[in-house]
Amino acid sequence: MAHPSPLPLELTKNQTLVMGALSKSRGPLSAYSLLDLLRDEGLRAPLQVYRALDKLVEFGMVHRLESLNAFVACRHPDCEGHASIAFAICEACGTVEEITDPSLARRLNAIAKEFSFAVKKSTIELRGLCAACHEAG
Amino acid sequence: MAHPSPLPLELTKNQTLVMGALSKSRGPLSAYSLLDLLRDEGLRAPLQVYRALDKLVEFGMVHRLESLNAFVACRHPDCEGHASIAFAICEACGTVEEITDPSLARRLNAIAKEFSFAVKKSTIELRGLCAACHEAG
DNA sequence: AAGATTATGTTATAAAATTACATGAATTAG
DNA sequence: CTAATTCATGTAATTTTATAACATAATCTT
């Protein structure tokens, strides 16, 4: 499994801006939403956001949600070492639950081994309704 | 878990074209690759492909790979009833292994239950190197 | 100080997906 | 049978997401 790069002592200016916006956000944000949010702070082009996001993902501080083309700040106190993370994405309210489950990770590793597949990155995303929205009906 | 729609007696013209192209393909294809492949057969606009793909996915005959923005024909003899499917995507040769693992599905269901999350669709994608490419180094 | 690496800024472009609108074919309700 | 509804199609325009190419500045290395 891929390991995150070691955390840098401090983030660069653009990385700080993007990380800040994601941390404040209630839910996931797309790169272009981030750009809109950060125009006043000086960001002007998509690449500035994408480059910051690339690094933050590399550091393990941000996760990319493939089924949403969007990004969330990692909510774990220690972002490192969570090789297999699953996300439960509520299609009603947009909240994202971050789930680390050792048993799930083990099963996935076992499957990979069975197929002699060398996993670099795993994506596990559940789309549906969170408890609250499911109740609300 | 979401169930596929019942299979229609026969596919429409565009659905047939798209399904044919995907079935012949060695690996996954993007919507625009499909469009290029099918221009000679009369397809002219992205929407024609996307609409066919939507239906084929709904029927469970085609799977969408979120991490690739691409589509693969289901390789299972009976496409129905495979609620939880994982894909192992080789980043070297592009092949996609389709994996159905009951134990993995059970674990995922257990997690969803634990969070009272009503799953509509699950995405499980492993990116890495297949046995052959891993060997080749 | 020279060379390498890393971050930045900017423009343009590519790739992926959808909106809006119009038409034709098939199904079915009256 | 025919009107009404549904479903598939066709086309143009646009939106959203992501990258390529090029230039400059800052930092680190030796």
Side-chain angles (χ1 to χ4, degrees):
Chain A
M1 292 284 191
H3 290 283
S5 302
L7 288 172
L9 291 171
E10 50 185 326
L11 299 176
T12 68
K13 183 190 132 215
N14 291 356
Q15 287 162 13
T16 305
L17 288 172
V18 170
M19 191 66 210
L22 281 175
S23 299
K24 266 183 273 179
S25 172
R26 196 190 101 281
L29 294 172
S30 74
Y32 280 77
S33 306
L34 283 163
L35 180 55
D36 286 342
L37 285 172
L38 296 172
R39 260 185 224 285
D40 294 344
E41 323 291 332
L43 292 199
R44 292 154 174 275
L47 251 182
Q48 297 177 291
V49 175
Y50 279 109
R51 286 200 278 229
L53 284 170
D54 279 352
K55 285 295 180 185
L56 293 170
V57 168
E58 190 184 316
F59 300 151
M61 300 172 70
V62 165
H63 303 297
R64 185 193 162 105
L65 301 174
E66 299 287 353
S67 68
L68 238 42
N69 292 331
F71 301 83
V72 280
C74 181
R75 301 301 182 188
H76 285 97
D78 177 4
C79 297
E80 296 182 69
H82 299 302
S84 271
I85 299 180
F87 299 93
I89 303 166
C90 179
E91 293 181 340
C93 67
T95 55
V96 174
E97 191 74 55
E98 199 175 322
I99 301 164
T100 57
D101 183 276
S103 157
L104 181 66
R106 270 197 305 275
R107 188 72 209 116
L108 226 39
N109 283 333
I111 291 172
K113 193 164 190 181
E114 192 181 324
F115 284 84
S116 303
F117 189 86
V119 178
K120 283 194 199 159
K121 197 210 169 203
S122 61
T123 297
I124 309 171
E125 299 178 13
L126 305 181
R127 302 283 296 260
L129 296 177
C130 71
C133 292
H134 189 53
E135 286 295 305
Chain B
M1 293 284 189
H3 290 284
S5 302
L7 287 172
L9 291 171
E10 50 184 327
L11 299 176
T12 67
K13 184 190 132 217
N14 291 356
Q15 287 162 14
T16 305
L17 289 171
V18 169
M19 191 66 211
L22 280 174
S23 298
K24 267 184 273 179
S25 172
R26 197 192 99 281
L29 294 172
S30 74
Y32 280 75
S33 306
L34 282 164
L35 181 55
D36 286 342
L37 285 172
L38 296 172
R39 259 185 225 285
D40 293 343
E41 322 291 332
L43 292 199
R44 292 154 174 277
L47 206 52
Q48 296 177 293
V49 175
Y50 280 110
R51 285 200 278 228
L53 285 170
D54 279 352
K55 285 295 179 185
L56 293 170
V57 168
E58 190 183 315
F59 300 151
M61 300 172 70
V62 165
H63 302 295
R64 182 191 166 111
L65 302 174
E66 299 287 353
S67 69
L68 238 42
N69 292 333
F71 301 82
V72 280
C74 181
R75 302 299 182 189
H76 284 96
D78 176 4
C79 297
E80 297 182 68
H82 299 301
S84 270
I85 299 181
F87 299 93
I89 302 166
C90 179
E91 293 182 341
C93 66
T95 55
V96 174
E97 191 75 53
E98 199 175 320
I99 300 163
T100 56
D101 184 276
S103 157
L104 182 66
R106 269 197 305 274
R107 189 70 210 119
L108 225 41
N109 283 333
I111 291 172
K113 194 164 187 180
E114 192 182 322
F115 284 84
S116 303
F117 188 86
V119 177
K120 282 193 200 160
K121 197 210 169 203
S122 61
T123 297
I124 309 171
E125 298 178 15
L126 305 180
R127 302 283 296 260
L129 296 176
C130 71
C133 291
H134 189 53
E135 286 294 305

